[in-house]
Amino acid sequence: MMRTSVIKTVLLAGALSAASWGVAASFTSQDNAFTLDMPAGWKTVANPPQDSVLTISKGDSRITVKTSDCRNETCLENKINNDLAEIKRKNMQVVGNAYTGEEIKRIEFSTGEPFFYISFYSPKNDFGAGYFLISGKSYSILARNLTYAETDLIFSFISPRTVVEPTPELIEPTEITIPDVLTVSDVPIVMADEQIQTPLSQTAVKRHNPLQQVGRKVLAVLKRIKHVAGKLRVNTLISPHMPPYIRQLGHGFDVLIWLAICYVCLFWGTWAVRPFFQKVTDWPPINPNSLYPIRFKRLYGTPSLIFRAKDNQGNVLTALASRWDSLFMFLGLVLLVCTGVLLALTAVSEIGHLLPLSAFVYNTIYAVCSLLIPLGIVVFFCGVIWSQLVLKEINLFDNKGKRAAIILQKGFGLTKERYQIYFARSKEVLTVTRKRYSLRRSWQVFDADKQLLADIRENSAWRAIVRKLFGHLWGFLRADYTIKG
């Protein structure tokens, strides 16, 4: 018997939910404490065992639920641990959780009461056994000839039965007969010297104060907010059902999530204040006959890196370069960050009981995230490998769409990157070198005789360091260069 994978569990859940539930059955325990919704084919056993409150079967598969003598969660834990030790003593194999390795699984009903169960098998049969509490009563359950995935799914179908209180019957008023003639003896006589005292609470007219009603509503809202805030008080974002490699991070995972949240706030905060910090530059007088200044503009929205340069005479050059390496690294990081945030939100909901979700739903989310994290790492390192193995190529086009120049990367160096620029018309060749692993960006341009033509260097070192960590933040940290030549 091999462990059933999480993917099989998800596929089984989809298959059962896609089945025709019009012929499915809902079974209720004999004491009306809980219900069990099952797919088509299951039926109640005619001669159930003694103390059984529900016994159903389908073919050679069978589920039996009996009453137990426990009244609290500690008793249930002791019983399931004793059963686990007995199963191991009989040399039967226990199937742990597919990604956490836990042998005893725990889920909770919508009422917050626990359900502990284990899955094990012998050479001939598969079993699932456990104990659960509903409305203060304890029950034991045994499933035979059901796979590990089927046991997880079907046990999640058990739900406490909602007791609907009967609506009180309205008492019809009886008919009162009034006599046609009243005699003097029928009328009570009040003496003149007697004082009639009526309580003020009975004679005063009750008036509803609008301010009191508003106050009650505000207090109700505050209580609700306090209740939700109390649930959100969690010491860590780590859930015991998360993948093991996440749980081993401990509070390091909390730190990573908070750093991601701070970066998102910083990113969109700079976007919000950007219109109030427009940079104004005092340009020197421009010679109308000169090609300078040359204005560069970067175009976004495509996988390629596109720059457009326009000189003072109206000539336009467009630079086009593929950047699949950066795209892969960006997608890998986005996938890792989104998966981490989803794990954190799921853990907060599970620990604080914010959403009425079953343990099966939480385990499925954790299982999917445990697959997405390695996928994000693989995608990110694919981009890293691409950037180190594939040489860059940049094409420059003129106004007519013809290729004006081509820039080719010539190999990789430990400290420098080397590029060559080929001009289509003049056939001139220039060499450009760029420093690697430098705080500030810098380039040097040489002619065919290796004479230095220009030295381009970024001005601010601190801005370069911050930009490496946070990006240019909507232009706040864009680089300024000094060109010497």
Side-chain angles (χ1 to χ4, degrees):
M1 303 286 180
M2 298 181 63
R3 292 187 177 182
T4 307
S5 63
V6 177
I7 298 177
K8 184 177 179 182
T9 304
V10 177
L11 292 176
L12 177 62
L16 288 178
S17 61
S20 177
W21 287 95
V23 293
S26 178
F27 300 94
T28 304
S29 62
Q30 294 180 2
D31 56 358
N32 293 325
F34 62 90
T35 59
L36 177 58
D37 297 328
M38 298 295 291
W42 287 86
K43 60 182 179 179
T44 306
V45 175
N47 297 318
Q50 188 178 3
D51 297 334
S52 171
V53 295
L54 180 63
T55 302
I56 58 176
S57 65
K58 178 183 178 182
D60 58 350
S61 301
R62 189 184 182 100
I63 299 177
T64 303
V65 183
K66 297 182 180 181
T67 57
S68 180
D69 55 355
C70 287
R71 289 296 180 269
N72 53 57
E73 183 174 338
T74 304
C75 180
L76 294 185
E77 290 180 338
N78 293 334
K79 280 185 172 293
I80 197 69
N81 283 313
N82 293 336
D83 289 352
L84 180 61
E86 182 68 16
I87 290 169
K88 291 182 176 180
R89 189 181 65 81
K90 293 181 178 180
N91 295 325
M92 288 191 282
Q93 299 297 321
V94 179
V95 182
N97 190 292
Y99 57 95
T100 62
E102 296 176 344
E103 295 177 328
I104 299 178
K105 276 79 73 175
R106 174 199 168 104
I107 59 178
E108 290 184 356
F109 299 112
S110 58
T111 57
E113 294 173 303
F115 183 3
F116 300 95
Y117 68 94
I118 53 179
S119 299
F120 56 98
Y121 60 88
S122 66
K124 295 182 179 180
N125 302 101
D126 293 329
F127 297 95
Y131 298 90
F132 59 89
L133 276 174
I134 289 182
S135 300
K137 298 180 182 179
S138 64
Y139 301 88
S140 65
I141 184 170
L142 177 65
R144 187 179 65 186
N145 290 334
L146 290 174
T147 64
Y148 168 57
E150 291 172 339
T151 301
D152 278 353
L153 183 62
I154 291 177
F155 281 3
S156 67
F157 290 159
I158 300 175
S159 58
R161 194 166 185 270
T162 304
V163 179
V164 180
E165 297 183 359
T167 305
E169 297 182 358
L170 297 178
I171 303 176
E172 296 182 358
T174 57
E175 186 176 353
I176 302 176
T177 304
I178 302 176
D180 296 335
V181 181
L182 293 176
T183 60
V184 177
S185 60
D186 296 328
V187 180
I189 300 176
V190 180
M191 302 303 295
D193 57 350
E194 292 181 357
Q195 296 181 356
I196 301 176
Q197 298 180 355
T198 303
L200 182 61
S201 61
Q202 297 179 2
T203 59
V205 179
K206 295 182 179 179
R207 298 180 180 178
H208 297 283
N209 191 344
L211 295 179
Q212 291 180 354
Q213 294 180 354
V214 174
R216 293 192 189 98
K217 292 181 180 180
V218 172
L219 289 177
V221 172
L222 292 177
K223 288 181 179 179
R224 180 60 181 172
I225 295 176
K226 183 179 179 181
H227 178 69
V228 175
K231 289 185 176 181
L232 291 176
R233 290 178 182 175
V234 293
N235 297 324
T236 180
L237 299 176
I238 295 293
S239 167
H241 302 106
M242 281 184 173
Y245 56 84
I246 296 295
R247 288 188 277 117
Q248 290 175 358
L249 294 176
H251 288 290
F253 178 74
D254 304 340
V255 174
L256 291 176
I257 295 300
W258 282 114
L259 288 177
I261 294 174
C262 292
Y263 176 76
V264 171
C265 295
L266 176 64
F267 182 80
W268 291 110
T270 53
W271 173 81
V273 302
R274 180 189 175 195
F276 304 100
F277 293 90
Q278 294 292 340
K279 186 177 181 180
V280 179
T281 305
D282 295 331
W283 297 102
I286 299 175
N287 183 359
N289 298 320
S290 173
L291 295 176
Y292 301 99
I294 301 175
R295 293 178 173 84
F296 292 86
K297 182 179 181 181
R298 182 176 175 179
L299 304 180
Y300 293 90
T302 64
S304 300
L305 182 64
I306 303 176
F307 281 96
R308 183 169 291 171
K310 184 177 182 181
D311 61 18
N312 194 39
Q313 302 300 320
N315 301 313
V316 177
L317 279 179
T318 302
L320 179 63
S322 61
R323 52 168 186 168
W324 292 106
D325 52 346
S326 301
L327 183 63
F328 271 80
M329 287 188 286
F330 175 75
L331 292 178
L333 286 176
V334 169
L335 187 58
L336 289 173
V337 171
C338 293
T339 304
V341 173
L342 178 60
L343 279 173
L345 294 176
T346 305
V348 170
S349 177
E350 182 185 12
I351 297 172
H353 304 287
L354 297 181
L355 298 176
L357 301 178
S358 65
F360 175 76
V361 175
Y362 286 118
N363 289 337
T364 302
I365 296 175
Y366 291 140
V368 173
C369 291
S370 67
L371 299 177
L372 292 179
I373 291 176
L375 177 61
I377 295 175
V378 170
V379 172
F380 176 80
F381 278 100
C382 282
V384 174
I385 295 173
W386 191 307
S387 66
Q388 298 300 318
L389 297 182
V390 179
L391 298 176
K392 295 182 177 66
E393 178 180 337
I394 304 173
N395 295 284
L396 281 76
F397 300 91
D398 56 17
N399 293 339
K400 300 179 180 179
K402 295 182 179 181
R403 180 179 293 177
I406 181 172
I407 304 175
L408 296 177
Q409 183 179 0
K410 295 295 183 178
F412 296 94
L414 295 178
T415 59
K416 290 184 178 181
E417 292 179 357
R418 182 168 170 268
Y419 300 85
Q420 284 189 341
I421 306 176
Y422 300 89
F423 292 92
R425 295 180 181 178
S426 63
K427 307 300 180 181
E428 184 181 1
V429 179
L430 299 179
T431 301
V432 178
T433 61
R434 173 182 177 270
K435 285 187 178 181
R436 303 186 70 184
Y437 313 114
S438 176
L439 294 180
R440 292 185 291 179
R441 298 171 178 173
S442 63
W443 293 270
Q444 288 183 322
V445 183
F446 300 88
D447 60 10
D449 298 328
K450 298 183 179 180
Q451 298 294 323
L452 181 64
L453 298 179
D455 183 85
I456 306 171
R457 188 177 299 272
E458 186 176 355
N459 296 334
S460 176
W462 73 266
R463 183 177 293 183
I465 296 174
V466 177
R467 187 178 61 251
K468 291 180 184 296
L469 296 176
F470 302 105
H472 60 75
L473 294 179
W474 303 96
F476 278 97
L477 300 177
R478 286 201 182 279
D480 295 327
Y481 299 93
T482 299
I483 303 177
K484 298 179 181 180

